[in-house]
Amino acid sequence: MLGYAFAAIVLFAAGTMAWYYVYDRWIQRDHAIRRNFPIYGRFRYVMENLGEYFRQYWFTADWEERPFNRLTRAWVYRSAKGVSNYIAFGSEVDAQQPGHIYFLHSAFPVNDEEAEAYTGKWIGKDIVRHPYKPKSFFNISGMSYGALSSAAVTALSEGAAMAGMWLDTGEGGLSPYHLKAGCDICFQIGTAKYGVRDKDGNLDEEKLRKIAAIEQVRMFCIKLSQGAKPGRGGILPASKVTPEIAEIRGIEPGKPSNSPSRHHDITDIPTLVALINRVRRTTQKPVGIKMAVGSYEFVDEFFGYLQQCPDDAPDFVQIDGAEGGTGAAPAPLADYVGQSIVQALPYVAQRLRDYGLRNRIRLVASGKLLTPDKVAWAICMGADFVVSARGFMFALGCIQAMKCNTGHCPTGVTSNDPRFMRGLDPARKGVRVANYAQAVRHDVEAIAHACGCKSVRELKGQHVRVNGGDLIL
């Protein structure tokens, strides 16, 4: 019996190979390699697809991989699991490498009993009826439900509540999963105005009031652009636009969800300021903007305009570096458009001071800032708060499989396919999200204390240096 089975398997394999030979050699015309080298030419494509996985684990050094190397990812994984991040036998980081960041420790560092707890900073105080004072200087950046799975968003909500952080909804609207654990929420208004739009895509003030009436929603952010794709709106494939997501966003199910490149009602600085004030007047909560920096001329014109009417200024400005990348994006925009957070953040912070707006406008930094050194650097450069998206994706279990835009994320972080999503337990992953945030805050505080600062709020540009000029993220 076994002999017959073996013979059947051999005959089937031989028949399959013969068919592939005929098809590759004389029928298909798309692949020259397979036409010239039937059958085994196919192995070239197999190895090409498998190569990224073998390189990641076997051949790439710990510090070489992109967009995040293994050292960075391992730090986040260990922190999220609550495992010690102590290292032995010295650092693997090349301290002589151009772009290496280092902090200038004090001869008289701060002892633990002398340290002061982070007390937070008000956003919108004396401007709106309901100002907001975040408990954490490190928070969760915008990631939409739809781009992320319901399990992932639920876990982020759980972790944010445990760690006392705010959770940005991303431009995809407010879902029940964002609200599930009772964490503070920053509602993002993207160019398509998902969740607060009418049937024509215009801002619906009644929907906006209903969102603002939710106590958890602490502030609003008008997104002008993001680092992943400056000058282009959000992209959500049709396969991810389920009936539930369509209902939340106010769009048709089963169709691609592509946001406009800019807000239709914003054509210049006065109309931008008008929209900020319209949202703030309707919600009576802090309102800010998110943007990737392009031309410095806009920054100067914008702040120059606001200098004449500081009460009309946004309550915060989030600067997203070109390193940002959670959203699906065209490669030319992701690779070659927009300024790095390294150039943009120090410039914007300085111009806020020059125009006398530094105490009026809070500054939020994002764009590949997910380890304590990068977070501390951003605070030294003038950021009041730092937010991360991909750092928290790693805390959820992301393995950098680079499948975010396909709906086939193997960890269920960016896939709503039940087959993949079942592996992500929100309760357990929520704990990891909180652990990661607490580890970042603890180590940023350790850096501050080493520099002689009693509190993270005392970190300044004088405390940090970068080899050869700019930090390389």
Side-chain angles (χ1 to χ4, degrees):
M1 195 67 177
L2 288 176
Y4 286 121
F6 179 74
I9 291 171
V10 170
L11 287 172
F12 177 78
T16 302
M17 298 289 276
W19 161 245
Y20 279 147
Y21 183 91
V22 172
Y23 180 79
D24 287 345
R25 185 74 173 181
W26 288 292
I27 299 177
Q28 70 86 23
R29 297 177 181 273
D30 293 328
H31 304 283
I33 290 291
R34 282 165 48 188
R35 193 168 175 82
N36 291 334
F37 304 96
I39 301 176
Y40 65 87
R42 289 174 172 267
F43 287 100
R44 183 257 182 192
Y45 301 100
V46 173
M47 296 309 296
E48 185 176 52
N49 290 328
L50 292 177
E52 62 179 294
Y53 305 110
F54 285 108
R55 286 193 298 273
Q56 178 176 358
Y57 295 106
W58 290 353
F59 305 118
T60 305
D62 286 349
W63 54 86
E64 288 180 342
E65 207 174 349
R66 288 288 179 178
F68 293 95
N69 63 45
R70 198 176 299 122
L71 287 177
T72 298
R73 299 200 318 274
W75 189 91
V76 177
Y77 295 148
R78 289 196 300 269
S79 298
K81 293 174 183 176
V83 177
S84 171
N85 265 312
Y86 281 44
I87 61 173
F89 213 67
S91 172
E92 289 190 61
V93 175
D94 183 359
Q96 305 304 315
Q97 181 76 15
H100 172 72
I101 185 173
Y102 60 98
F103 296 87
L104 305 181
H105 65 279
S106 170
F108 308 102
V110 174
N111 286 324
D112 290 345
E113 64 272 15
E114 300 169 320
E116 296 176 0
Y118 178 76
T119 54
K121 295 181 179 181
W122 283 103
I123 302 175
K125 190 176 184 182
D126 300 325
I127 301 293
V128 294
R129 192 180 305 142
H130 304 289
Y132 176 46
K133 190 176 185 181
K135 302 172 186 175
S136 173
F137 57 81
F138 186 60
N139 299 279
I140 304 176
S141 192
M143 292 180 282
S144 303
Y145 169 51
L148 262 60
S149 69
S150 58
V153 175
T154 300
L156 291 174
S157 176
E158 297 274 2
M162 283 186 271
M165 302 178 288
W166 84 61
L167 168 61
D168 192 313
T169 63
E171 67 173 314
L174 183 64
S175 74
Y177 312 106
H178 289 106
L179 297 169
K180 203 157 191 177
C183 68
D184 291 347
I185 296 291
C186 174
F187 183 91
Q188 188 178 114
I189 303 174
T191 56
K193 298 181 174 63
Y194 294 132
V196 290
R197 59 184 269 144
D198 61 20
K199 60 183 178 59
D200 297 318
N202 300 311
L203 182 66
D204 186 322
E205 290 191 7
E206 185 56 35
K207 290 183 179 178
L208 186 61
R209 285 191 189 92
K210 288 181 180 178
I211 296 291
I214 301 171
E215 185 179 357
Q216 279 179 249
V217 179
R218 303 293 187 177
M219 56 186 181
F220 292 79
C221 179
I222 299 171
K223 190 183 88 167
L224 304 182
S225 58
Q226 67 185 92
K229 43 184 175 290
R232 180 71 182 270
I235 302 168
L236 192 69
S239 61
K240 286 193 171 189
V241 185
T242 64
E244 181 186 32
I245 289 168
E247 175 67 22
I248 291 168
R249 296 191 178 206
I251 57 176
E252 292 186 57
K255 293 186 177 181
S257 179
N258 297 329
S259 307
S261 295
R262 66 169 174 80
H263 293 264
H264 290 303
D265 47 355
I266 297 177
T267 56
D268 53 21
I269 290 173
T271 52
L272 168 58
V273 174
L275 181 60
I276 292 169
N277 280 285
R278 183 185 176 191
V279 174
R280 184 161 46 208
R281 186 172 56 251
T282 303
T283 65
Q284 282 302 308
K285 291 184 176 181
V287 177
I289 63 171
K290 174 183 178 179
M291 65 178 183
V293 175
S295 167
Y296 284 147
E297 291 179 5
F298 167 74
V299 175
D300 285 318
E301 290 173 6
F302 185 42
F303 291 167
Y305 184 94
L306 296 175
Q307 191 178 37
Q308 310 305 315
C309 51
D311 285 353
D312 292 335
D315 300 303
F316 65 92
V317 172
Q318 179 178 335
I319 301 300
D320 197 21
E323 301 86 355
T326 52
L333 297 185
D335 291 342
Y336 302 112
V337 178
Q339 292 202 34
S340 165
I341 192 69
V342 171
Q343 284 81 42
L345 178 61
Y347 181 82
V348 172
Q350 183 58 50
R351 299 312 275 162
L352 282 173
R353 288 188 283 268
D354 294 342
Y355 284 97
L357 297 167
R358 190 65 190 88
N359 293 328
R360 168 69 184 91
I361 300 174
R362 296 302 183 197
L363 191 55
V364 183
S366 59
K368 220 174 177 185
L369 305 173
L370 54 85
T371 49
D373 56 309
K374 306 299 191 305
V375 174
W377 170 86
I379 293 171
C380 286
M381 292 298 102
D384 297 297
F385 305 98
V386 177
V387 293
S388 176
R390 286 175 290 182
F392 287 100
M393 288 175 70
F394 288 137
L396 288 171
C398 167
I399 61 170
Q400 197 168 274
M402 314 293 278
K403 303 293 183 184
C404 307
N405 61 324
T406 66
H408 296 100
C409 167
T411 61
V413 175
T414 64
S415 173
N416 276 297
D417 185 331
R419 180 165 60 105
F420 298 117
M421 201 166 56
R422 68 179 296 276
L424 200 161
D425 181 351
R428 291 179 180 272
K429 297 299 185 180
V431 172
R432 293 193 179 191
V433 165
N435 285 344
Y436 164 60
Q438 289 159 355
V440 170
R441 293 189 306 218
H442 175 273
D443 285 6
V444 172
E445 289 171 346
I447 290 172
H449 300 160
C451 292
C453 303
K454 291 185 177 181
S455 167
V456 170
R457 295 179 61 163
E458 296 177 13
L459 283 172
K460 298 289 186 292
Q462 68 202 45
H463 295 122
V464 67
R465 295 289 184 275
V466 179
N467 283 348
D470 289 338
L471 168 64
I472 298 174
L473 289 171

